[in-house]
Amino acid sequence: MTTLVTGGAGYIGAHVVRLLQQRGEDVVVVDDLSTGDASRIGGATLVELDLAACDAVDALTGVMTKHGVDAVVHFAARKQVGESVARPAWYYQQNVGGMANLLTAMENAGVDRLVFSSSAATYGQPDVELVDEKMAGHAINPYGETKVVGEWLGRAAGVAWGLRFVALRYFNVAGAGWPELGDPAVLNLVPMVLDRLERGERPKIFGDDYPTPDGTCIRDYIHVLDLAKAHLAALDYLDHDERHHDAFNVGTGTGSSVREVIDEIGRASGIDTTPDIEPRRPGDPALLVGSPVLIERTLGWKAEAGLPEIISSAWEAWQAGPRRIDD
Ligand code: UFG
């Protein structure tokens, strides 16, 4: 079995690469190394390639044929909401263009199994306690829109030429399965808090006047190793003849507030994490927690780690460094 992992040198991709290797599979990583790091992929074959480039289809088709690729896990994409608002055409070109190139190459090479990195950003700002899979399609920024369109493209390829397709909609990913595979970017709550603590500054809370029990936003934090395991479960699901669903939340069903996350970082690090309260950040929903019922029932996958394990692994990885890739 040979699996191609696009974006396999990135934070989540590298965890999936390692798990695939541990179960004895051959792995080919396609990554442009714009944010990824080649040292993260162990013994996998690395092909340095920008999926969204005009000549990517031929190159990708060649890679799949040469290595006898059976299935693809597609991570390679841009993922910053704010940047997508500033540069929408570039986000569509990168994320939708990259997906279109990938699907064309898969059809050319006769590779018919794909697990796609989708996002809770496909839900926008749902006004519910627990989001279920049927509520998608309401993205509120270009990043989320590219994920909605990516799912459409995957489905359309299923109809057109029999692609076997699963989209995994990630909630808030944090932690590290191995200290050297920690999140190298300082773009989300946990690394942003750790970064400020390292500089001797106080963490920031963007708004404490939301309609939640402690006034701060609630999210569904998922350990990156649990998330990586969901990809292997999805690959196995694509082997089944009977497949009734093509999009799954990868969440825990339990929310944690910004304040709870910051307190947990204080416990794990032993550092005083008294925060500064800042104004609300535009576009933040008060509550976004995913129902894990469908993925548990269908793929037999369930998150194992809770917030303490997520944060202690993030802290351990942060101390191991290297870090701070800001784009
Ligand atoms: N936050 C702070 N202080 C910080 C950093 C973040 O209070 O220093 C707050 C944010 O305002 C938000 C919460 O922490 O309320 C989580 O913020 P993140 O930026 O870590 O994550 P988001 O929920 O905003 O975004 C995540 C993914 C996106 C995805 C989005 C939609 O990072 O890629 O979920 O589901 F689009």
Side-chain angles (χ1 to χ4, degrees), residues 87-135:
R87 300 182 68 191
W90 188 64
Y91 262 68
Y92 273 76
Q93 193 262 336
Q94 290 286 302
N95 292 3
V96 177
M99 176 74 165
N101 285 346
L102 177 68
L103 289 172
T104 309
M106 290 178 72
E107 185 181 4
N108 290 348
V111 179
D112 70 350
R113 271 169 286 171
L114 176 62
V115 178
F116 172 62
S117 294
S118 188
S119 171
T122 54
Y123 294 114
Q125 298 191 316
D127 192 15
V128 291
E129 294 275 310
L130 267 186
V131 188
D132 77 46
E133 283 79 357
K134 292 189 291 297
M135 298 169 182

mmCIF file of all heavy atoms in Angstrom, residues 87-135:
data_model
loop_
_atom_site.group_PDB
_atom_site.id
_atom_site.type_symbol
_atom_site.label_atom_id
_atom_site.label_comp_id
_atom_site.label_asym_id
_atom_site.label_seq_id
_atom_site.Cartn_x
_atom_site.Cartn_y
_atom_site.Cartn_z
ATOM 1 N N ARG A 87 -6.670 38.361 0.635
ATOM 2 C CA ARG A 87 -6.226 37.878 -0.678
ATOM 3 C C ARG A 87 -7.123 36.746 -1.169
ATOM 4 O O ARG A 87 -6.680 35.597 -1.346
ATOM 5 C CB ARG A 87 -4.789 37.357 -0.588
ATOM 6 C CG ARG A 87 -3.782 38.405 -0.142
ATOM 7 C CD ARG A 87 -2.367 37.830 -0.122
ATOM 8 N NE ARG A 87 -1.888 37.530 -1.466
ATOM 9 C CZ ARG A 87 -0.778 36.826 -1.719
ATOM 10 N NH1 ARG A 87 -0.047 36.357 -0.733
ATOM 11 N NH2 ARG A 87 -0.400 36.598 -2.965
ATOM 12 N N PRO A 88 -8.409 37.043 -1.416
ATOM 13 C CA PRO A 88 -9.346 35.951 -1.745
ATOM 14 C C PRO A 88 -8.987 35.195 -3.025
ATOM 15 O O PRO A 88 -9.074 33.967 -3.062
ATOM 16 C CB PRO A 88 -10.697 36.664 -1.876
ATOM 17 C CG PRO A 88 -10.379 38.110 -2.040
ATOM 18 C CD PRO A 88 -9.085 38.345 -1.333
ATOM 19 N N ALA A 89 -8.575 35.929 -4.070
ATOM 20 C CA ALA A 89 -8.293 35.243 -5.344
ATOM 21 C C ALA A 89 -7.129 34.266 -5.163
ATOM 22 O O ALA A 89 -7.142 33.153 -5.694
ATOM 23 C CB ALA A 89 -7.977 36.266 -6.432
ATOM 24 N N TRP A 90 -6.132 34.705 -4.394
ATOM 25 C CA TRP A 90 -4.976 33.831 -4.158
ATOM 26 C C TRP A 90 -5.399 32.584 -3.372
ATOM 27 O O TRP A 90 -4.955 31.476 -3.657
ATOM 28 C CB TRP A 90 -3.890 34.604 -3.401
ATOM 29 C CG TRP A 90 -2.599 33.867 -3.279
ATOM 30 C CD1 TRP A 90 -1.776 33.485 -4.294
ATOM 31 C CD2 TRP A 90 -1.988 33.399 -2.072
ATOM 32 N NE1 TRP A 90 -0.688 32.816 -3.797
ATOM 33 C CE2 TRP A 90 -0.783 32.758 -2.438
ATOM 34 C CE3 TRP A 90 -2.334 33.477 -0.715
ATOM 35 C CZ2 TRP A 90 0.075 32.186 -1.487
ATOM 36 C CZ3 TRP A 90 -1.467 32.921 0.219
ATOM 37 C CH2 TRP A 90 -0.287 32.280 -0.170
ATOM 38 N N TYR A 91 -6.300 32.746 -2.399
ATOM 39 C CA TYR A 91 -6.773 31.580 -1.646
ATOM 40 C C TYR A 91 -7.511 30.599 -2.551
ATOM 41 O O TYR A 91 -7.322 29.391 -2.451
ATOM 42 C CB TYR A 91 -7.632 31.999 -0.425
ATOM 43 C CG TYR A 91 -6.773 31.977 0.817
ATOM 44 C CD1 TYR A 91 -5.743 32.909 0.959
ATOM 45 C CD2 TYR A 91 -6.912 31.001 1.788
ATOM 46 C CE1 TYR A 91 -4.892 32.859 2.049
ATOM 47 C CE2 TYR A 91 -6.066 30.945 2.882
ATOM 48 C CZ TYR A 91 -5.052 31.871 3.008
ATOM 49 O OH TYR A 91 -4.198 31.806 4.078
ATOM 50 N N TYR A 92 -8.365 31.126 -3.424
ATOM 51 C CA TYR A 92 -9.066 30.227 -4.357
ATOM 52 C C TYR A 92 -8.053 29.558 -5.286
ATOM 53 O O TYR A 92 -8.148 28.366 -5.570
ATOM 54 C CB TYR A 92 -10.123 30.994 -5.165
ATOM 55 C CG TYR A 92 -11.459 31.058 -4.459
ATOM 56 C CD1 TYR A 92 -11.666 31.928 -3.392
ATOM 57 C CD2 TYR A 92 -12.517 30.239 -4.846
ATOM 58 C CE1 TYR A 92 -12.874 31.979 -2.734
ATOM 59 C CE2 TYR A 92 -13.739 30.291 -4.193
ATOM 60 C CZ TYR A 92 -13.913 31.166 -3.138
ATOM 61 O OH TYR A 92 -15.124 31.205 -2.483
ATOM 62 N N GLN A 93 -7.087 30.336 -5.762
ATOM 63 C CA GLN A 93 -6.084 29.767 -6.680
ATOM 64 C C GLN A 93 -5.294 28.660 -5.978
ATOM 65 O O GLN A 93 -5.099 27.579 -6.537
ATOM 66 C CB GLN A 93 -5.174 30.906 -7.162
ATOM 67 C CG GLN A 93 -4.285 30.560 -8.349
ATOM 68 C CD GLN A 93 -2.875 30.181 -7.907
ATOM 69 O OE1 GLN A 93 -2.417 30.564 -6.835
ATOM 70 N NE2 GLN A 93 -2.192 29.430 -8.748
ATOM 71 N N GLN A 94 -4.869 28.931 -4.755
ATOM 72 C CA GLN A 94 -4.074 27.944 -4.020
ATOM 73 C C GLN A 94 -4.901 26.724 -3.611
ATOM 74 O O GLN A 94 -4.517 25.590 -3.876
ATOM 75 C CB GLN A 94 -3.504 28.603 -2.751
ATOM 76 C CG GLN A 94 -2.431 29.633 -3.033
ATOM 77 C CD GLN A 94 -1.118 28.979 -3.433
ATOM 78 O OE1 GLN A 94 -0.563 28.181 -2.687
ATOM 79 N NE2 GLN A 94 -0.622 29.297 -4.612
ATOM 80 N N ASN A 95 -6.007 26.958 -2.942
ATOM 81 C CA ASN A 95 -6.748 25.832 -2.336
ATOM 82 C C ASN A 95 -7.657 25.131 -3.332
ATOM 83 O O ASN A 95 -7.664 23.901 -3.407
ATOM 84 C CB ASN A 95 -7.561 26.322 -1.127
ATOM 85 C CG ASN A 95 -6.665 26.752 0.031
ATOM 86 O OD1 ASN A 95 -5.439 26.733 -0.085
ATOM 87 N ND2 ASN A 95 -7.257 27.131 1.134
ATOM 88 N N VAL A 96 -8.429 25.904 -4.090
ATOM 89 C CA VAL A 96 -9.335 25.268 -5.067
ATOM 90 C C VAL A 96 -8.529 24.817 -6.291
ATOM 91 O O VAL A 96 -8.710 23.702 -6.789
ATOM 92 C CB VAL A 96 -10.479 26.226 -5.459
ATOM 93 C CG1 VAL A 96 -11.368 25.592 -6.519
ATOM 94 C CG2 VAL A 96 -11.300 26.582 -4.217
ATOM 95 N N GLY A 97 -7.603 25.684 -6.744
ATOM 96 C CA GLY A 97 -6.748 25.313 -7.880
ATOM 97 C C GLY A 97 -5.928 24.073 -7.564
ATOM 98 O O GLY A 97 -5.815 23.151 -8.378
ATOM 99 N N GLY A 98 -5.353 24.021 -6.372
ATOM 100 C CA GLY A 98 -4.560 22.854 -5.964
ATOM 101 C C GLY A 98 -5.402 21.594 -5.942
ATOM 102 O O GLY A 98 -4.985 20.523 -6.401
ATOM 103 N N MET A 99 -6.618 21.704 -5.417
ATOM 104 C CA MET A 99 -7.527 20.542 -5.352
ATOM 105 C C MET A 99 -7.902 20.086 -6.764
ATOM 106 O O MET A 99 -7.925 18.887 -7.056
ATOM 107 C CB MET A 99 -8.777 20.942 -4.561
ATOM 108 C CG MET A 99 -9.850 19.880 -4.476
ATOM 109 S SD MET A 99 -9.388 18.548 -3.350
ATOM 110 C CE MET A 99 -10.992 17.749 -3.128
ATOM 111 N N ALA A 100 -8.177 21.039 -7.649
ATOM 112 C CA ALA A 100 -8.558 20.680 -9.023
ATOM 113 C C ALA A 100 -7.391 19.978 -9.724
ATOM 114 O O ALA A 100 -7.586 18.969 -10.428
ATOM 115 C CB ALA A 100 -8.976 21.939 -9.797
ATOM 116 N N ASN A 101 -6.184 20.484 -9.529
ATOM 117 C CA ASN A 101 -5.010 19.832 -10.125
ATOM 118 C C ASN A 101 -4.841 18.412 -9.575
ATOM 119 O O ASN A 101 -4.568 17.469 -10.321
ATOM 120 C CB ASN A 101 -3.740 20.635 -9.832
ATOM 121 C CG ASN A 101 -3.648 21.891 -10.687
ATOM 122 O OD1 ASN A 101 -4.375 22.032 -11.670
ATOM 123 N ND2 ASN A 101 -2.756 22.797 -10.316
ATOM 124 N N LEU A 102 -5.004 18.294 -8.275
ATOM 125 C CA LEU A 102 -4.840 16.978 -7.644
ATOM 126 C C LEU A 102 -5.853 15.981 -8.193
ATOM 127 O O LEU A 102 -5.510 14.844 -8.549
ATOM 128 C CB LEU A 102 -4.996 17.106 -6.124
ATOM 129 C CG LEU A 102 -4.924 15.786 -5.351
ATOM 130 C CD1 LEU A 102 -3.510 15.208 -5.411
ATOM 131 C CD2 LEU A 102 -5.335 15.998 -3.891
ATOM 132 N N LEU A 103 -7.126 16.407 -8.279
ATOM 133 C CA LEU A 103 -8.173 15.491 -8.768
ATOM 134 C C LEU A 103 -7.928 15.104 -10.223
ATOM 135 O O LEU A 103 -8.152 13.952 -10.614
ATOM 136 C CB LEU A 103 -9.551 16.146 -8.620
ATOM 137 C CG LEU A 103 -10.043 16.274 -7.178
ATOM 138 C CD1 LEU A 103 -11.307 17.113 -7.128
ATOM 139 C CD2 LEU A 103 -10.291 14.906 -6.562
ATOM 140 N N THR A 104 -7.456 16.048 -11.027
ATOM 141 C CA THR A 104 -7.173 15.735 -12.433
ATOM 142 C C THR A 104 -6.065 14.689 -12.519
ATOM 143 O O THR A 104 -6.162 13.709 -13.277
ATOM 144 C CB THR A 104 -6.768 17.013 -13.188
ATOM 145 O OG1 THR A 104 -7.747 18.017 -12.945
ATOM 146 C CG2 THR A 104 -6.650 16.766 -14.682
ATOM 147 N N ALA A 105 -5.017 14.889 -11.706
ATOM 148 C CA ALA A 105 -3.906 13.927 -11.717
ATOM 149 C C ALA A 105 -4.367 12.563 -11.221
ATOM 150 O O ALA A 105 -3.970 11.526 -11.764
ATOM 151 C CB ALA A 105 -2.765 14.459 -10.852
ATOM 152 N N MET A 106 -5.217 12.536 -10.199
ATOM 153 C CA MET A 106 -5.709 11.246 -9.679
ATOM 154 C C MET A 106 -6.506 10.512 -10.752
ATOM 155 O O MET A 106 -6.350 9.303 -10.939
ATOM 156 C CB MET A 106 -6.577 11.469 -8.430
ATOM 157 C CG MET A 106 -5.766 11.924 -7.216
ATOM 158 S SD MET A 106 -6.789 12.239 -5.758
ATOM 159 C CE MET A 106 -7.252 10.551 -5.305
ATOM 160 N N GLU A 107 -7.345 11.260 -11.468
ATOM 161 C CA GLU A 107 -8.130 10.619 -12.536
ATOM 162 C C GLU A 107 -7.180 10.081 -13.618
ATOM 163 O O GLU A 107 -7.318 8.937 -14.069
ATOM 164 C CB GLU A 107 -9.122 11.619 -13.142
ATOM 165 C CG GLU A 107 -10.042 10.968 -14.164
ATOM 166 C CD GLU A 107 -11.034 11.942 -14.797
ATOM 167 O OE1 GLU A 107 -10.954 13.158 -14.489
ATOM 168 O OE2 GLU A 107 -11.855 11.488 -15.602
ATOM 169 N N ASN A 108 -6.204 10.906 -14.008
ATOM 170 C CA ASN A 108 -5.226 10.472 -15.032
ATOM 171 C C ASN A 108 -4.500 9.197 -14.621
ATOM 172 O O ASN A 108 -4.262 8.311 -15.440
ATOM 173 C CB ASN A 108 -4.147 11.553 -15.257
ATOM 174 C CG ASN A 108 -4.689 12.779 -15.955
ATOM 175 O OD1 ASN A 108 -5.796 12.761 -16.476
ATOM 176 N ND2 ASN A 108 -3.902 13.857 -15.956
ATOM 177 N N ALA A 109 -4.106 9.154 -13.327
ATOM 178 C CA ALA A 109 -3.276 8.037 -12.861
ATOM 179 C C ALA A 109 -4.114 6.863 -12.367
ATOM 180 O O ALA A 109 -3.560 5.834 -11.959
ATOM 181 C CB ALA A 109 -2.350 8.525 -11.743
ATOM 182 N N GLY A 110 -5.444 7.019 -12.345
ATOM 183 C CA GLY A 110 -6.313 5.924 -11.892
ATOM 184 C C GLY A 110 -6.245 5.703 -10.383
ATOM 185 O O GLY A 110 -6.394 4.574 -9.909
ATOM 186 N N VAL A 111 -6.024 6.785 -9.617
ATOM 187 C CA VAL A 111 -6.009 6.678 -8.148
ATOM 188 C C VAL A 111 -7.372 7.136 -7.650
ATOM 189 O O VAL A 111 -7.780 8.270 -7.915
ATOM 190 C CB VAL A 111 -4.890 7.568 -7.540
ATOM 191 C CG1 VAL A 111 -4.891 7.460 -6.025
ATOM 192 C CG2 VAL A 111 -3.540 7.174 -8.113
ATOM 193 N N ASP A 112 -8.103 6.282 -6.931
ATOM 194 C CA ASP A 112 -9.516 6.587 -6.700
ATOM 195 C C ASP A 112 -9.917 6.725 -5.233
ATOM 196 O O ASP A 112 -11.088 6.636 -4.908
ATOM 197 C CB ASP A 112 -10.394 5.529 -7.388
ATOM 198 C CG ASP A 112 -10.305 4.181 -6.710
ATOM 199 O OD1 ASP A 112 -9.423 4.008 -5.838
ATOM 200 O OD2 ASP A 112 -11.109 3.300 -7.046
ATOM 201 N N ARG A 113 -8.946 6.952 -4.331
ATOM 202 C CA ARG A 113 -9.305 7.152 -2.921
ATOM 203 C C ARG A 113 -8.679 8.442 -2.394
ATOM 204 O O ARG A 113 -7.461 8.619 -2.520
ATOM 205 C CB ARG A 113 -8.808 5.971 -2.075
ATOM 206 C CG ARG A 113 -9.824 4.849 -2.002
ATOM 207 C CD ARG A 113 -9.229 3.615 -1.401
ATOM 208 N NE ARG A 113 -8.334 2.964 -2.342
ATOM 209 C CZ ARG A 113 -7.533 1.947 -2.049
ATOM 210 N NH1 ARG A 113 -7.500 1.476 -0.826
ATOM 211 N NH2 ARG A 113 -6.768 1.408 -2.969
ATOM 212 N N LEU A 114 -9.500 9.305 -1.797
ATOM 213 C CA LEU A 114 -9.009 10.603 -1.323
ATOM 214 C C LEU A 114 -9.630 10.984 0.022
ATOM 215 O O LEU A 114 -10.847 10.984 0.183
ATOM 216 C CB LEU A 114 -9.365 11.695 -2.348
ATOM 217 C CG LEU A 114 -9.011 13.136 -1.951
ATOM 218 C CD1 LEU A 114 -7.511 13.329 -1.768
ATOM 219 C CD2 LEU A 114 -9.541 14.121 -2.995
ATOM 220 N N VAL A 115 -8.752 11.323 0.966
ATOM 221 C CA VAL A 115 -9.191 11.926 2.232
ATOM 222 C C VAL A 115 -8.773 13.394 2.186
ATOM 223 O O VAL A 115 -7.597 13.709 1.986
ATOM 224 C CB VAL A 115 -8.554 11.220 3.455
ATOM 225 C CG1 VAL A 115 -8.989 11.909 4.746
ATOM 226 C CG2 VAL A 115 -8.954 9.742 3.481
ATOM 227 N N PHE A 116 -9.749 14.280 2.346
ATOM 228 C CA PHE A 116 -9.551 15.724 2.157
ATOM 229 C C PHE A 116 -9.638 16.452 3.494
ATOM 230 O O PHE A 116 -10.574 16.243 4.266
ATOM 231 C CB PHE A 116 -10.659 16.224 1.207
ATOM 232 C CG PHE A 116 -10.729 17.715 1.049
ATOM 233 C CD1 PHE A 116 -9.670 18.438 0.521
ATOM 234 C CD2 PHE A 116 -11.892 18.411 1.392
ATOM 235 C CE1 PHE A 116 -9.753 19.820 0.358
ATOM 236 C CE2 PHE A 116 -11.986 19.785 1.232
ATOM 237 C CZ PHE A 116 -10.903 20.496 0.711
ATOM 238 N N SER A 117 -8.661 17.353 3.743
ATOM 239 C CA SER A 117 -8.672 18.195 4.949
ATOM 240 C C SER A 117 -9.699 19.291 4.786
ATOM 241 O O SER A 117 -9.428 20.290 4.119
ATOM 242 C CB SER A 117 -7.351 18.934 5.116
ATOM 243 O OG SER A 117 -6.316 18.083 5.355
ATOM 244 N N SER A 118 -10.845 19.123 5.407
ATOM 245 C CA SER A 118 -11.816 20.202 5.403
ATOM 246 C C SER A 118 -11.787 20.871 6.778
ATOM 247 O O SER A 118 -10.858 20.634 7.567
ATOM 248 C CB SER A 118 -13.202 19.667 5.033
ATOM 249 O OG SER A 118 -14.086 20.747 4.845
ATOM 250 N N SER A 119 -12.766 21.689 7.060
ATOM 251 C CA SER A 119 -12.654 22.529 8.251
ATOM 252 C C SER A 119 -14.022 22.847 8.826
ATOM 253 O O SER A 119 -15.020 22.931 8.094
ATOM 254 C CB SER A 119 -11.974 23.846 7.860
ATOM 255 O OG SER A 119 -12.030 24.767 8.917
ATOM 256 N N ALA A 120 -14.028 23.083 10.132
ATOM 257 C CA ALA A 120 -15.237 23.612 10.763
ATOM 258 C C ALA A 120 -15.565 24.990 10.219
ATOM 259 O O ALA A 120 -16.676 25.489 10.414
ATOM 260 C CB ALA A 120 -15.051 23.669 12.272
ATOM 261 N N ALA A 121 -14.615 25.602 9.500
ATOM 262 C CA ALA A 121 -14.896 26.892 8.856
ATOM 263 C C ALA A 121 -15.996 26.758 7.804
ATOM 264 O O ALA A 121 -16.581 27.758 7.399
ATOM 265 C CB ALA A 121 -13.625 27.444 8.221
ATOM 266 N N THR A 122 -16.304 25.538 7.367
ATOM 267 C CA THR A 122 -17.413 25.342 6.418
ATOM 268 C C THR A 122 -18.766 25.632 7.079
ATOM 269 O O THR A 122 -19.765 25.779 6.383
ATOM 270 C CB THR A 122 -17.440 23.895 5.867
ATOM 271 O OG1 THR A 122 -17.465 22.994 6.976
ATOM 272 C CG2 THR A 122 -16.223 23.602 5.011
ATOM 273 N N TYR A 123 -18.787 25.700 8.425
ATOM 274 C CA TYR A 123 -20.061 25.923 9.129
ATOM 275 C C TYR A 123 -20.343 27.401 9.381
ATOM 276 O O TYR A 123 -21.466 27.742 9.756
ATOM 277 C CB TYR A 123 -20.060 25.190 10.475
ATOM 278 C CG TYR A 123 -20.025 23.681 10.355
ATOM 279 C CD1 TYR A 123 -18.934 22.937 10.786
ATOM 280 C CD2 TYR A 123 -21.096 22.993 9.799
ATOM 281 C CE1 TYR A 123 -18.903 21.565 10.680
ATOM 282 C CE2 TYR A 123 -21.080 21.609 9.683
ATOM 283 C CZ TYR A 123 -19.974 20.904 10.126
ATOM 284 O OH TYR A 123 -19.957 19.547 9.999
ATOM 285 N N GLY A 124 -19.329 28.245 9.251
ATOM 286 C CA GLY A 124 -19.550 29.660 9.546
ATOM 287 C C GLY A 124 -19.831 29.869 11.020
ATOM 288 O O GLY A 124 -19.070 29.432 11.870
ATOM 289 N N GLN A 125 -20.943 30.540 11.300
ATOM 290 C CA GLN A 125 -21.288 30.844 12.696
ATOM 291 C C GLN A 125 -22.625 30.225 13.057
ATOM 292 O O GLN A 125 -23.628 30.930 13.215
ATOM 293 C CB GLN A 125 -21.353 32.353 12.887
ATOM 294 C CG GLN A 125 -20.026 33.040 12.620
ATOM 295 C CD GLN A 125 -20.017 34.478 13.061
ATOM 296 O OE1 GLN A 125 -20.969 35.209 12.825
ATOM 297 N NE2 GLN A 125 -18.951 34.900 13.697
ATOM 298 N N PRO A 126 -22.683 28.898 13.170
ATOM 299 C CA PRO A 126 -23.972 28.249 13.443
ATOM 300 C C PRO A 126 -24.449 28.567 14.861
ATOM 301 O O PRO A 126 -23.648 28.565 15.791
ATOM 302 C CB PRO A 126 -23.656 26.761 13.299
ATOM 303 C CG PRO A 126 -22.196 26.657 13.601
ATOM 304 C CD PRO A 126 -21.569 27.950 13.172
ATOM 305 N N ASP A 127 -25.723 28.825 14.986
ATOM 306 C CA ASP A 127 -26.272 29.211 16.282
ATOM 307 C C ASP A 127 -26.826 27.976 16.999
ATOM 308 O O ASP A 127 -28.013 27.892 17.288
ATOM 309 C CB ASP A 127 -27.378 30.259 16.054
ATOM 310 C CG ASP A 127 -27.790 30.930 17.348
ATOM 311 O OD1 ASP A 127 -27.044 30.803 18.340
ATOM 312 O OD2 ASP A 127 -28.863 31.555 17.365
ATOM 313 N N VAL A 128 -25.953 27.004 17.242
ATOM 314 C CA VAL A 128 -26.376 25.758 17.894
ATOM 315 C C VAL A 128 -25.310 25.331 18.901
ATOM 316 O O VAL A 128 -24.155 25.728 18.801
ATOM 317 C CB VAL A 128 -26.569 24.603 16.873
ATOM 318 C CG1 VAL A 128 -27.763 24.836 15.983
ATOM 319 C CG2 VAL A 128 -25.303 24.389 16.042
ATOM 320 N N GLU A 129 -25.723 24.471 19.835
ATOM 321 C CA GLU A 129 -24.782 23.971 20.852
ATOM 322 C C GLU A 129 -23.764 23.008 20.243
ATOM 323 O O GLU A 129 -22.588 23.034 20.554
ATOM 324 C CB GLU A 129 -25.560 23.209 21.936
ATOM 325 C CG GLU A 129 -26.489 24.062 22.771
ATOM 326 C CD GLU A 129 -25.761 24.721 23.934
ATOM 327 O OE1 GLU A 129 -25.060 24.002 24.659
ATOM 328 O OE2 GLU A 129 -25.884 25.953 24.086
ATOM 329 N N LEU A 130 -24.266 22.130 19.361
ATOM 330 C CA LEU A 130 -23.411 21.101 18.753
ATOM 331 C C LEU A 130 -23.676 21.101 17.251
ATOM 332 O O LEU A 130 -24.828 20.974 16.833
ATOM 333 C CB LEU A 130 -23.812 19.725 19.280
ATOM 334 C CG LEU A 130 -23.106 19.129 20.484
ATOM 335 C CD1 LEU A 130 -23.595 17.710 20.714
ATOM 336 C CD2 LEU A 130 -21.589 19.143 20.327
ATOM 337 N N VAL A 131 -22.607 21.214 16.459
ATOM 338 C CA VAL A 131 -22.774 21.286 15.013
ATOM 339 C C VAL A 131 -22.769 19.874 14.435
ATOM 340 O O VAL A 131 -21.870 19.089 14.726
ATOM 341 C CB VAL A 131 -21.583 22.037 14.391
ATOM 342 C CG1 VAL A 131 -21.828 22.295 12.921
ATOM 343 C CG2 VAL A 131 -21.342 23.330 15.113
ATOM 344 N N ASP A 132 -23.760 19.557 13.612
ATOM 345 C CA ASP A 132 -23.665 18.268 12.934
ATOM 346 C C ASP A 132 -23.410 18.470 11.448
ATOM 347 O O ASP A 132 -23.511 19.580 10.926
ATOM 348 C CB ASP A 132 -24.865 17.362 13.225
ATOM 349 C CG ASP A 132 -26.105 17.751 12.461
ATOM 350 O OD1 ASP A 132 -26.014 18.004 11.248
ATOM 351 O OD2 ASP A 132 -27.175 17.803 13.086
ATOM 352 N N GLU A 133 -23.041 17.382 10.782
ATOM 353 C CA GLU A 133 -22.495 17.454 9.425
ATOM 354 C C GLU A 133 -23.445 18.088 8.423
ATOM 355 O O GLU A 133 -23.011 18.660 7.422
ATOM 356 C CB GLU A 133 -22.098 16.053 8.950
ATOM 357 C CG GLU A 133 -20.782 15.530 9.544
ATOM 358 C CD GLU A 133 -20.905 15.000 10.969
ATOM 359 O OE1 GLU A 133 -22.009 15.069 11.558
ATOM 360 O OE2 GLU A 133 -19.878 14.526 11.504
ATOM 361 N N LYS A 134 -24.738 18.015 8.663
ATOM 362 C CA LYS A 134 -25.707 18.540 7.691
ATOM 363 C C LYS A 134 -25.725 20.068 7.640
ATOM 364 O O LYS A 134 -26.305 20.657 6.741
ATOM 365 C CB LYS A 134 -27.118 18.034 8.048
ATOM 366 C CG LYS A 134 -27.277 16.536 7.861
ATOM 367 C CD LYS A 134 -28.719 16.086 8.008
ATOM 368 C CE LYS A 134 -29.245 16.190 9.439
ATOM 369 N NZ LYS A 134 -28.535 15.313 10.411
ATOM 370 N N MET A 135 -25.085 20.720 8.614
ATOM 371 C CA MET A 135 -25.173 22.185 8.706
ATOM 372 C C MET A 135 -24.114 22.920 7.899
ATOM 373 O O MET A 135 -24.005 24.149 7.972
ATOM 374 C CB MET A 135 -25.042 22.609 10.172
ATOM 375 C CG MET A 135 -26.141 22.071 11.043
ATOM 376 S SD MET A 135 -25.757 22.335 12.779
ATOM 377 C CE MET A 135 -27.178 21.575 13.553
#
